[in-house]
Amino acid sequence: MLKLATLIENPGEPEVQSLYQDPAELKALGYNGLVIYESTALSGIQNTDAIGSDEMRRWVNARVDHIGQTIQAAHDAGLAVYLSYDVLVLPAHAVERNVNGLCCKGRPQTLCPASEQALELSVAALETLLNRWPGVEGVVLRFGDTDAQRLPHLVGNDLYSPHCPRCSQFGRADRASAFIKRVHRLVVEGLDKRLIVRAWNVRPGGMHDVPELAKRIAEGLPGDPKDDRLILSFKFTQTDFWRYQRWNPSSLVCGGRPILYELQCQREFEGKGGIPNWQAPLWRDGCPEVAGLKEEVHGLAEASDRVNLAGLWAWVRGGGWGGPFVKNEHWIDANVFAVPLLAEDPQADPRVLAEQWVRDRLGFKDDAVAHVVRLLEDSPDFVMQAFYLGPFASGRTNPWHPNADWVQDDLLDTRSAWRIIQSLNETQLDQLMNEKQEAADAIGRHRAALQQVVSDRRHHELDPLVNTLLYTESFFEVLRDLVWGLVAYRRFQKTGDRALAEIVKQKLFASQDHWNHHTQRFGSLPGAATAFREENFWDVTQDIISKVDG
């Protein structure tokens, strides 16, 4: 059973300081493989010294050295190593020399999926990469997304989007199959290594979120369906790592092909680990808010009986862009701890796992155990109540962007919230206010309970965790009072009731006050993550306050 881990570090962001950068720590937690994400920066490159810019050449060669050191450390710790590789991606200098042969007509920055030259250059570069590090176990192939647009030495794009006279008749399944078959020939047939094909697509309409397409691609895959040298990898959610998601239905239609499920321990749309967010119940049983949908399975406990489960892949750190930047990994660690145990036993009881984590990883033995376990168990509910606009999310038929991006990474977009509030009916507005109140109340109760434990038993090691709850509570209070103020303003617009105008001002001023506390005080406490940022928060709230005053 594969128990893989990866750390995703984005170029241009502060360097991650993580316990999991030590492969020995991952091995001790029960992982048996490491996926190196940084090797995506080497996609398509056969000769790093040919890169035109001196600065970029130094940066890429430094990546090569770092990857080599990581591979050696992982092998020393007893972990198998997999290299991440993107298609279709090639070095910018090679594309500039042969735009007509490699790119779509009239689109010099778009590589053409129907270009045989582009395919051959991509595979040749992968072979060079594997010859450089022959001891790696295999390759993780991504074709529905790339990071090339963020790396100036590369040109690249997903395989689904391009459309030109050459590739317009090349269907989505054909585009994926052509590359998978060619890479399979190199990696599996030629080198007897493992090929993990990521179904992920960053835009709707790909293998990851369209079961019919996944089935067509799976049916055309090379090799014996039971051969675990070719594995298909899916995020456990139908689309991205949001709530209001079915268990990925595309993963259920691939016949007997081995399936790997990707789990995010640092939830990018929900505070990135700066906020308690226990994922084990959602992984095992699925998201309860969609349990009523007619679907084949809900969580891993059911899926493990329906697919040829090859294992689990934990994103132990990373995902998304920007902050919050986490200083204390404890809440992330709870999820990292659970993944290998769920891989071994998909029926494992999340409460037992939580208690084991608190005792083994935090070292608590008294009544603090029960307090922290209750906090973990409540966290999926209060996180969903805070970070999503439930009446809006639950009414959508499109599974993409259920939070409408009103909170994206560490950015709160007030205009987005206001647009959604204007679309809801009166009953839904009441539901929206209730969920925000419940989220703030829940985190407040848990913060008070842990503070009491610290006071009674001198649990100084709990201080950083209490600080994360103060940080969380301040942000949830921002959201609660912001939503209440916007709802009151919508009702004031309809009725002109001056009592509502006073509520608008009271709630929006309170939200502004909580925002100042969150950004100027609680975001700098020891152990707390960096504060959230705002877009349009001050403009919208001040404009509304001015209008009700007028």
Side-chain angles (χ1 to χ4, degrees), residues 255-277:
R257 292 286 176 179
I259 301 295
L260 188 71
Y261 284 114
E262 302 175 31
L263 312 174
Q264 190 178 47
C265 299
Q266 183 183 352
R267 295 275 286 188
E268 63 191 271
F269 300 104
E270 300 164 2
K272 293 189 176 173
I275 288 170
N277 197 354

Side-chain angles (χ1 to χ4, degrees), residues 305-534:
D305 292 330
R306 298 293 298 273
V307 303
N308 180 5
L309 184 65
L312 300 178
W313 173 7
W315 296 24
V316 296
R317 287 295 305 268
W321 290 82
F325 298 108
V326 177
K327 306 167 191 174
N328 184 314
E329 292 183 301
H330 278 134
W331 301 127
I332 300 168
D333 190 71
N335 295 324
V336 175
F337 172 83
V339 173
L341 298 174
L342 280 171
E344 288 297 326
D345 179 12
Q347 304 284 344
D349 185 341
R351 173 170 292 181
V352 173
L353 296 180
E355 290 176 349
Q356 187 177 345
W357 175 74
V358 175
R359 295 180 188 278
D360 292 355
R361 300 289 285 179
L362 296 185
F364 297 163
K365 301 185 184 305
D366 55 21
D367 57 347
V369 174
H371 284 289
V372 177
V373 169
R374 281 196 295 270
L375 170 60
L376 290 175
E377 290 182 318
D378 286 351
S379 64
D381 288 339
F382 63 61
V383 163
M384 186 179 73
Q385 291 167 333
F387 282 90
Y388 297 82
L389 302 170
F392 167 81
S394 61
R396 300 176 76 251
T397 57
N398 186 337
W400 288 86
H401 300 277
N403 68 348
D405 299 333
W406 85 299
V407 180
Q408 180 82 356
D409 296 305
D410 62 345
L411 190 63
L412 169 64
D413 185 346
T414 305
R415 289 198 194 282
S416 178
W418 174 231
R419 283 194 298 270
I420 293 170
I421 286 171
Q422 293 178 88
S423 73
L424 301 178
N425 62 40
E426 284 296 321
T427 299
Q428 291 173 319
L429 293 176
D430 288 337
Q431 293 169 346
L432 182 61
M433 292 193 296
N434 287 339
E435 73 177 7
K436 296 298 174 282
Q437 183 68 59
E438 289 172 5
D441 288 348
I443 198 66
R445 287 193 302 271
H446 284 293
R447 184 265 308 155
L450 276 191
Q451 280 186 322
Q452 189 63 47
V453 171
V454 172
S455 175
D456 290 348
R457 301 293 181 90
R458 298 183 180 273
H459 267 286
H460 298 303
E461 64 272 29
L462 273 176
D463 285 340
L465 297 187
V466 171
N467 288 343
T468 68
L469 301 190
L470 289 165
Y471 165 95
T472 303
E473 185 177 14
S474 67
F475 184 63
F476 284 10
E477 288 171 334
V478 170
L479 302 182
R480 178 198 61 198
D481 290 335
L482 174 63
V483 165
W484 279 52
L486 293 178
V487 169
Y489 180 57
R490 180 187 150 173
R491 289 170 169 168
F492 169 77
Q493 286 182 313
K494 185 175 181 179
T495 66
D497 185 341
R498 293 309 304 174
L500 282 173
E502 291 305 310
I503 294 174
V504 171
K505 291 192 292 182
Q506 176 191 358
K507 292 301 180 182
L508 294 186
F509 279 134
S511 184
Q512 291 176 346
D513 188 52
H514 290 309
W515 183 263
N516 286 332
H517 279 83
H518 175 76
T519 56
Q520 298 174 21
R521 179 184 176 191
F522 295 121
S524 59
L525 291 175
T530 57
F532 279 77
R533 299 177 297 125
E534 56 84 17

